[in-house]
Amino acid sequence: MNKDLSGSTQLWNEDLAPTSAAQRTWRWYHFAALWVGMVMCIPAYTLSASLIEGGMSAYQAVFTVFLANAIVLLPMLAIGHAGTKYGIPYAVLARASFGTSGARLPALMRAIVACGWYGIQTWFGGQMIYTLIGVMLGGEIGGGKIAGLGINGMQLLCFLAFWAIQFWYIVHGMDAIRKLETYTAPLKILICFVLLGWVYQKAGGFGPLLEQPSQFVEGGKKAGQFWSAFWPSLTAMVGFWATLALNIPDFTRFAKTQRDQLLGQTVGLPVPMGLLAALAVIVTSATVVLYGKAIWDPVDLASRMTGVAVLVALVILLIDTVSVNLAANLVGPAYDFSALAPKHISYRAGGYLTASIALVMMPWKVLESTQGYIFTWLIGYSALLGPIAGILIIDYYFVRKTELNVEQLYREDGQYSYGNGWNMAAVAAFVIGVAPNIPGFLNAAFPAAFPGVGEGFKTIYTYAWFVGIAISALAYGVMMKGKAAQALRPAAQP
């Protein structure tokens, strides 16, 4: 990036500038390790296991998880291409479609969702420390709940301790995160096989759940209801990685070649996610034999192990949660917050802001019910992020034919400034893509306040991400059709 832009613009800082050749150190195995590292996480395990609880057979649950991740891989690769080709993060790529000022809207949307996730994963990590201390001391710890917070003092201290562990990586930057992911990924795969061996030996097999038919078959508890359970589950699973599908350029900008990001992501996402689902189902199935009931929560399961096994299991889960949280939920919002005010907020300062928001949002409140987790949180934000993905893909591939004028992305008076920095076609397409999902979201989030929402809107909401990405892509494509040549024409130099 030309240095003259650095002093004259509100759109540039060193963290947002295109990556240099020296910074492009990520090979395909780094991307594969990144995804293995992110896939092997407690929320993904719990979500996979919850499909069985919802009535699916083991095979239906694993297929649903694999299919969702194969679907979300497509926008991941499509949007990731721009990061590798031009070395720019998501918040800068969004300027091509939303405008140099308008790009702050999708950046903020993505950042807020990631702060929520960062808080949730930090809570999981704190709970592991809490469980570990409880097991070591041989009983319940922490006493009564603190008024207003709903958790006890020891839970709060453990949450803050885990928050502090992650803060070290924020201070030490992106390369520290890459090293953590690369070194911990093989360890996680090994632990999965160890866990499988442990349950097989303890339960004398893989347990009864694997043989259980789906509850949706004729004569089952939920006969004939498979599709009404499958679509919301698929949408929730897609929503699980919908954040990364947007900000994947934040990682692919460090790729050495396009082949590295394409191969690494294809190897690293759908198959490991399907295998994790299989692991979750098998281990949960074995817990029926071992403990007389299905235990979906891996932290709860680890706490029931004996001797050194519980210590090893919980330490591995702790490392796992740190690596997932930093890669999936810190890098993106750190860049996004930086893009809101580049002169004042660096990548590191954006990380500090993300961590601070995660503290005040009280993530344990979001997780109080599974219904709230899947139908309000996961599907709700996928309704916001799907339309943004649709707009970015149409703009990059169909309007611009993958050709961007990188220098102009950092100019307030350039070809991506549109009208006062806003491309109203992108804003309108975003609103049109989100609108059909709003009634269903209100009904899911606040059923008592919005009981009269029609079945049609509820049905649309179960497909939130798919509806959003399709409608916004179509709307944006139509509105930008006549403007494609104009958008591609280089702006006159001032």
Side-chain angles (χ1 to χ4, degrees):
M1 176 49 56
N2 295 341
K3 279 288 176 185
D4 64 318
L5 287 177
S6 64
S8 63
T9 182
Q10 296 291 326
L11 300 172
W12 186 96
N13 67 25
E14 287 192 4
D15 295 314
L16 296 175
T19 47
S20 64
Q23 289 173 295
R24 290 168 171 264
T25 56
W26 289 49
R27 303 311 305 251
W28 72 267
Y29 46 85
H30 291 122
F31 285 101
L34 175 80
W35 274 113
V36 169
M38 288 196 289
V39 160
M40 303 292 175
C41 68
I42 291 170
Y45 179 106
T46 310
L47 198 58
S48 304
S50 72
L51 297 181
I52 303 284
E53 200 176 14
M56 288 190 185
S57 70
Y59 304 103
Q60 286 170 340
V62 173
F63 174 74
T64 303
V65 173
F66 178 81
L67 178 62
N69 287 277
I71 290 168
V72 85
L73 178 67
L74 299 176
M76 201 89 68
L77 296 175
I79 296 170
H81 184 279
T84 302
K85 186 170 182 179
Y86 297 105
I88 53 175
Y90 156 69
V92 173
L93 174 64
R95 292 172 186 170
S97 48
F98 281 84
T100 46
S101 297
R104 292 185 173 102
L105 172 69
L108 195 59
M109 294 280 177
R110 165 69 182 93
I112 289 167
V113 168
C115 289
W117 265 124
Y118 190 83
I120 286 170
Q121 291 271 31
T122 303
W123 171 248
F124 277 131
Q127 280 295 93
M128 277 179 270
I129 297 174
Y130 179 76
T131 303
L132 186 58
I133 294 170
V135 169
M136 286 164 69
L137 295 179
E140 276 291 308
I141 54 170
K145 292 183 177 177
I146 301 167
L149 287 182
I151 56 174
N152 66 43
M154 200 65 191
Q155 284 176 304
L156 180 62
L157 281 175
C158 292
F159 174 67
L160 293 173
F162 191 75
W163 183 91
I165 291 168
Q166 296 177 123
F167 200 77
W168 185 89
Y169 283 95
I170 300 176
V171 172
H172 287 82
M174 188 75 171
D175 208 47
I177 295 171
R178 176 180 65 85
K179 286 174 181 168
L180 178 73
E181 293 293 340
T182 306
Y183 295 133
T184 58
L187 185 64
K188 290 180 187 180
I189 295 169
L190 176 65
I191 290 300
C192 286
F193 283 111
V194 169
L195 189 59
L196 275 177
W198 179 80
V199 297
Y200 187 84
Q201 185 223 334
K202 279 277 189 186
F206 286 134
L209 285 188
L210 295 183
E211 280 79 53
Q212 272 189 14
S214 156
Q215 290 178 30
F216 304 114
V217 295
E218 209 172 313
K221 265 199 285 186
K222 299 182 179 180
Q225 297 174 37
F226 175 75
W227 295 110
S228 62
F230 171 78
W231 287 110
S233 299
L234 186 72
T235 306
M237 286 286 170
V238 169
F240 193 75
W241 293 122
T243 49
L244 264 293
L246 283 185
N247 80 285
I248 197 66
D250 297 344
F251 296 95
T252 59
R253 66 196 295 244
F254 295 101
K256 209 162 182 68
T257 65
Q258 285 291 358
R259 180 182 176 274
D260 284 313
Q261 73 96 1
L262 285 166
L263 179 62
Q265 292 203 83
T266 305
V267 167
L269 178 58
V271 173
M273 195 77 187
L275 291 175
L276 178 74
L279 175 78
V281 169
I282 290 167
V283 173
T284 305
S285 180
T287 62
V288 178
V289 177
L290 293 174
Y291 305 108
K293 62 174 183 175
I295 298 169
W296 310 102
D297 180 357
V299 179
D300 183 10
L301 176 60
S303 71
R304 292 164 188 262
M305 294 178 180
T306 51
V308 76
V310 66
L311 183 68
V312 172
L314 285 166
V315 168
I316 293 297
L317 287 172
L318 274 172
I319 295 168
D320 164 55
T321 306
V322 172
S323 67
V324 172
N325 211 16
L326 291 169
N329 306 314
L330 175 84
V331 174
Y335 280 122
D336 295 339
F337 284 131
S338 180
L340 297 179
K343 265 194 171 176
H344 307 290
I345 305 175
S346 65
Y347 166 81
R348 190 165 288 153
Y352 298 158
L353 191 56
T354 304
S356 303
I357 293 170
L359 269 183
V360 300
M361 66 168 279
M362 295 196 282
W364 51 90
K365 303 266 186 190
V366 178
L367 291 165
E368 277 173 354
S369 77
T370 309
Q371 181 72 13
Y373 179 49
I374 292 182
F375 286 94
T376 308
W377 175 242
L378 284 176
I379 298 182
Y381 78 64
S382 80
L384 286 177
L385 302 185
I388 298 171
I391 292 163
L392 291 187
I393 291 168
I394 292 295
D395 186 78
Y396 183 63
Y397 286 95
F398 295 93
V399 175
R400 311 199 186 278
K401 311 285 194 281
T402 74
E403 293 301 320
L404 296 175
N405 185 332
V406 175
E407 188 184 341
Q408 295 287 316
L409 289 169
Y410 297 86
R411 299 189 76 99
E412 289 167 306
D413 56 354
Q415 72 187 68
Y416 304 112
S417 62
Y418 298 95
N420 297 319
W422 288 80
N423 180 10
M424 295 316 293
V427 175
F430 173 71
V431 171
I432 293 166
V434 170
N437 288 304
I438 291 174
F441 169 77
L442 292 173
N443 175 258
F446 314 104
F450 298 92
V453 171
E455 285 304 313
F457 283 117
K458 289 181 188 174
T459 303
I460 287 170
Y461 183 62
T462 63
Y463 306 94
W465 186 83
F466 298 96
V467 168
I469 197 170
I471 292 176
S472 64
L474 184 64
Y476 184 76
V478 168
M479 284 187 273
M480 289 297 286
K481 196 172 182 194
K483 300 177 187 174
Q486 178 191 339
L488 283 165
R489 195 172 62 240
Q493 294 299 315

